[in-house]
């Protein structure tokens, strides 16, 4: 009997746990210190967002999360919800860890008030209309792991202050109006895994210090005005999956070390002034899916070894001054969807194997 009562009590406790509503930290009112922010931002945005009222509950506010004390920890608003400038009262959000305001119409400069948010680990202002330089005060965001300021109208140089953000894993400043050289101090970001600086007006050479970024998986410096050669050290970064250096003014040959990057899936060096031949050892990059060497000053023939790249889907070799015939081993590229060999000095008939590349959509 005693055993049955214990079982009944245990079952009753289990039922009570299952039917009791979960209490979330969002079911609390905004902390009073956040009231000025809530008011200022809606005035600045010239809009009213559901639940964004002083004294309201976090759980009813669009795009907001709070901690147990009602302090805002996350904001995520996108697709036109936000317009105007970022008010200085954002500095009151001392618990904010994540700020995502992508695909909006934010204007004006990035002012120092944001850099008082020392708990930030994630800052994403992608695709707005922000302007002006990146303030040196960004160095205050010591906990930052991801910084996305791409696709704005930011000008000035890449600040050396960014080099103090040693926890950064993702840095994207692509698609802005940045000028000057890439600071060598960027080599201090030893935890960096993705670096996107493409689509700016950067000049000078690629700093050798980038070779210190041994965790780097993606390096995109395309669409700038970079000069010099591709160093063997940068071509030896062991974890690179993506190397995008197209549309610069790079010279020299393709470093042999690139052929040892076993994880590489995208290699884009087109639109430069690269000379020499295409290394046959590219076949060693067994997972390569995208190869763009077009619009360079290469010489020699298309290596037959390229036919060993079984995962290749994109092959662009237009305007490379290549000679010889189209090698038959390319028939093994059964994953190929795009191939462009135009404006070279190739000769001979179009190989019959082309008709057997069933996934090929554009030739």
């Amino acid at each position: 009997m005693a055993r049955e009562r214990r079982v009944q009590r245990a079952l009753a406790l289990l039922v009570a746990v299952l039917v009791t509503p979960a209490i979330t930290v969002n079911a609390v009112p905004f902390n009073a210190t956040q009231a000025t922010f809530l008011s200022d931002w809606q005035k600045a945005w010239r809009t009213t967002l559901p639940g964004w009222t002083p004294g309201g509950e976090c759980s009813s506010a669009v795009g907001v999360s709070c901690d147990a004390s009602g302090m805002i920890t996350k904001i995520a608003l996108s697709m036109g919800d936000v317009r105007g400038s970022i008010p200085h009262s954002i500095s009151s959000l001392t618990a904010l860890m994540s700020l995502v305001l992508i695909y909006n119409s934010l204007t004006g400069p990035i002012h120092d008030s944001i850099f008082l948010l020392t708990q930030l680990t994630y800052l994403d202002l992608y695709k707005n209309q922000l302007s002006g330089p990146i303030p040196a005060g960004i160095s205050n965001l010591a906990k930052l792991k991801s910084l996305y300021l791409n696709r704005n109208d930011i000008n000035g140089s890449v600040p050396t202050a960014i080099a103090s953000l040693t926890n950064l894993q993702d840095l994207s400043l692509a698609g802005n109006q940045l000028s000057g050289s890439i600071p060598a101090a960027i080599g201090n970001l030893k935890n960096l895994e993705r670096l996107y600086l493409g689509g700016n007006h950067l000049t000078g050479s690629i700093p050798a210090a980038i070779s210190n970024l041994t965790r780097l998986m993606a390096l995109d410096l395309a669409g700038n005005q970079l000069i010099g050669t591709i160093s063997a050290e940068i071509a030896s970064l062991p974890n690179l999956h993506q190397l995008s250096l197209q549309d610069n003014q790079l010279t020299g040959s393709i470093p042999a070390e690139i052929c040892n990057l076993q994880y590489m899936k995208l290699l884009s060096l087109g639109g430069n002034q690269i000379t020499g031949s295409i290394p046959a050892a590219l076949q060693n990059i067994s997972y390569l899916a995208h190869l763009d060497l077009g619009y360079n000053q290469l010489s020699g023939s298309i290596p037959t070894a390229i036919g060993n790249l079984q995962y290749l889907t994109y092959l662009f070799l237009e305007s490379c001054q290549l000679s010889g015939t189209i090698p038959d081993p390319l028939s093994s590229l059964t994953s190929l969807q795009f191939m462009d060999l135009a404006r070279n000095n190739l000769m001979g008939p179009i190989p019959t194997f082309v008709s057997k590349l069933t996934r090929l959509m554009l030739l």
Side-chain angles (χ1 to χ4, degrees):
M1 181 67 69
R3 181 177 179 277
E4 289 179 1
R5 281 197 293 269
R6 286 198 300 272
V7 171
Q8 289 172 353
R9 283 197 297 269
L11 288 173
L13 179 61
L14 177 60
V15 170
V17 169
L18 292 175
V19 301
T20 300
I23 298 175
T24 66
V25 295
N26 281 339
V28 294
F30 285 113
N31 188 288
T33 61
Q34 315 292 273
T36 302
F37 160 78
L38 293 168
S39 176
D40 285 357
W41 270 50
Q42 292 190 91
K43 290 177 183 176
W45 298 344
R46 299 185 296 278
T47 188
T48 300
L49 295 174
W52 281 59
T53 54
E57 289 188 350
C58 258
S59 57
S60 61
V62 170
V64 176
S65 297
C66 295
D67 62 16
S69 64
M71 296 292 288
I72 297 174
T73 57
K74 296 180 181 179
I75 296 176
L77 296 167
S78 62
M79 305 302 288
D81 286 333
V82 183
R83 63 181 67 85
S85 60
I86 300 175
H88 289 277
S89 58
I90 192 172
S91 61
S92 65
L93 306 186
T94 54
L96 194 66
M97 295 184 290
S98 177
L99 178 60
V100 179
L101 300 173
I102 62 174
Y103 285 102
N104 284 297
S105 300
L106 287 171
T107 57
I110 303 171
H111 48 71
D112 286 330
S113 298
I114 288 181
F115 305 136
L116 298 176
L117 305 176
T118 56
Q119 300 304 309
L120 270 183
T121 61
Y122 195 98
L123 176 58
D124 191 348
L125 303 178
Y126 168 72
K127 209 170 192 318
N128 281 281
Q129 300 164 29
L130 296 168
S131 57
I134 301 171
I138 197 169
S139 61
N140 294 333
L141 303 182
K143 295 184 178 181
L144 206 60
K145 294 183 178 181
S146 298
L147 175 61
Y148 296 96
L149 302 179
N150 43 324
R151 299 292 297 277
N152 281 283
D153 294 315
I154 297 169
N155 55 31
S157 60
V158 178
T160 56
I162 282 181
S164 64
L165 305 179
T166 53
N167 287 309
L168 268 186
Q169 297 173 358
D170 301 278
L171 173 59
S172 182
L173 306 178
N176 281 292
Q177 306 294 324
L178 295 171
S179 57
S181 59
I182 301 171
I186 213 163
N188 295 336
L189 302 176
K190 301 295 178 63
N191 291 306
L192 204 62
E193 297 178 356
R194 284 162 285 272
L195 175 60
Y196 303 107
L197 299 178
N200 282 289
H201 306 292
L202 299 173
T203 55
S205 58
I206 302 172
I210 286 182
S211 63
N212 296 333
L213 308 179
T214 55
R215 296 187 179 185
L216 206 61
M217 294 187 289
L219 176 60
D220 185 352
L221 307 178
N224 283 290
Q225 301 162 29
L226 300 174
I227 60 173
T229 61
I230 305 169
S231 71
E233 291 78 18
I234 289 174
S236 300
L237 288 167
N239 294 303
L240 269 187
H241 289 63
Q242 172 190 345
L243 180 60
S244 300
L245 303 177
Q246 74 270 20
D247 299 324
N248 280 286
Q249 300 168 26
L250 299 172
T251 56
S253 59
I254 300 171
E257 288 77 9
I258 278 182
C259 303
N260 298 324
L261 298 176
Q262 57 179 324
Y263 300 116
M264 182 79 77
K265 294 181 179 179
L266 185 151
L267 176 60
S268 188
L269 307 178
N272 283 287
Q273 300 167 27
I274 296 172
T275 56
S277 59
I278 299 175
L282 282 177
Q283 67 174 325
N284 297 335
I285 313 177
S286 55
Y287 292 105
L288 193 64
H290 181 114
L291 177 60
D292 174 9
L293 304 177
Y295 289 93
N296 277 295
Q297 300 171 19
L298 300 172
S299 58
S301 59
I302 300 172
T304 58
I306 285 183
N308 294 326
L309 298 173
Q310 59 177 318
Y311 296 107
L312 199 66
T313 61
Y314 183 98
L315 177 61
F316 188 76
L317 301 177
E318 182 177 348
S319 295
C320 285
Q321 304 180 24
L322 299 171
S323 57
T325 59
I326 300 175
D328 287 336
L330 295 190
S331 63
S332 300
L333 301 177
T334 55
S335 297
L336 205 61
Q337 299 176 17
F338 178 96
M339 179 169 66
D340 190 342
L341 310 178
R343 296 182 177 86
N344 283 290
N345 300 314
L346 300 173
M347 59 183 184
I350 297 175
T352 56
F353 70 74
V354 170
S355 63
K356 299 178 182 179
L357 298 176
T358 56
R359 297 186 180 182
L360 197 63
M361 294 183 290
L362 187 59
L363 174 62

